[in-house]
Amino acid sequence: MTDFLIAASVVFVLVAVGATLVAWRVVRRARRRFGGWHARYLDTRTRFLTPGPRRDAARLRYRLHAELAATTEMLTTAPQGRIFRADAAAVLQELVTAAGTLDTELAGIERFMDAGQQRDALATIAPQVQQLIDMTYSARQTILRTAAEDRTRQLSELRSSVAAQAAALQAYQRRDGELTL
């Protein structure tokens, strides 16, 4: 009887772990798909708004979301230390926090009823949003440039290694296949 209970417990744990992994993958895939829909919704919505500060605020929100999504993707796939700060996750968290704050303020500006108030508030927030967009772009460029420098260094080392192997082969062939140490 106890063997049966142990076997049933093991099977239950394995099924629970398997179900958890499947659920995690489904949630992750859904998050990716719906994340793209949210960006498309914001883009479509900005196209149908009447020109003015509300539309400008919505466009800034869309640009901020797009830049942050691209930077998030790049920073989460970048190896640690690839940017000039050892912790890419910390940089990403700071960018997400700043973007969230600015996004909330832009959403509030969109809800203002008076266009003059929207214009005044947007004039205050827009430079900060643009600065954050520029920072996210700069972070991505830094990662790309650092990766290119790393590849250049690796290719140079590989070229030297191949040249050394080719020279060793030529020396081996000149000695009629005799290998002397």
Side-chain angles (χ1 to χ4, degrees):
M1 185 67 171
T2 59
D3 291 338
F4 174 73
L5 290 175
I6 291 172
S9 298
V10 168
V11 169
F12 177 75
V13 168
L14 290 175
V15 168
V17 167
T20 302
L21 289 175
V22 168
W24 179 69
R25 290 187 78 183
V26 167
V27 167
R28 197 173 82 192
R29 186 173 293 160
R31 202 179 293 156
R32 284 183 188 158
R33 285 201 177 149
F34 288 121
W37 289 358
H38 180 69
R40 280 185 240 123
Y41 164 74
L42 287 175
D43 183 37
T44 304
R45 187 174 148 251
T46 60
R47 292 174 192 229
F48 291 109
L49 288 174
T50 57
R54 179 172 287 150
R55 182 178 185 175
D56 296 341
R59 281 192 173 174
L60 271 176
R61 284 185 74 198
Y62 171 70
R63 284 186 54 214
L64 184 62
H65 279 272
E67 283 291 323
L68 193 61
T71 302
T72 299
E73 182 179 334
M74 187 169 273
L75 284 176
T76 54
T77 60
Q80 294 297 325
R82 180 50 64 92
I83 57 177
F84 297 124
R85 184 170 167 182
D87 191 7
V91 172
L92 178 60
Q93 185 58 40
E94 290 174 19
L95 289 173
V96 167
T97 302
T101 303
L102 288 172
D103 183 57
T104 302
E105 291 176 7
L106 284 170
I109 291 171
E110 285 184 58
R111 289 188 295 268
F112 285 175
M113 291 303 196
D114 182 33
Q117 288 177 343
Q118 285 178 332
R119 216 178 279 87
D120 293 342
L122 193 58
T124 304
I125 300 298
Q128 294 173 352
V129 173
Q130 187 59 46
Q131 184 179 10
L132 184 62
I133 288 171
D134 293 344
M135 279 189 287
T136 59
Y137 180 77
S138 176
R140 289 198 320 266
Q141 288 298 319
T142 300
I143 291 170
L144 290 174
R145 286 193 311 263
T146 305
E149 287 295 322
D150 287 347
R151 273 192 304 278
T152 300
R153 193 172 302 116
Q154 289 170 347
L155 289 174
S156 176
E157 291 171 3
L158 182 61
R159 187 179 310 114
S160 298
S161 177
V162 169
Q165 293 295 321
L169 175 64
Q170 287 178 352
Y172 179 73
Q173 288 173 338
R174 275 186 262 145
R175 293 204 168 106
D176 296 327
E178 286 183 28
L179 183 60
T180 56
L181 297 174

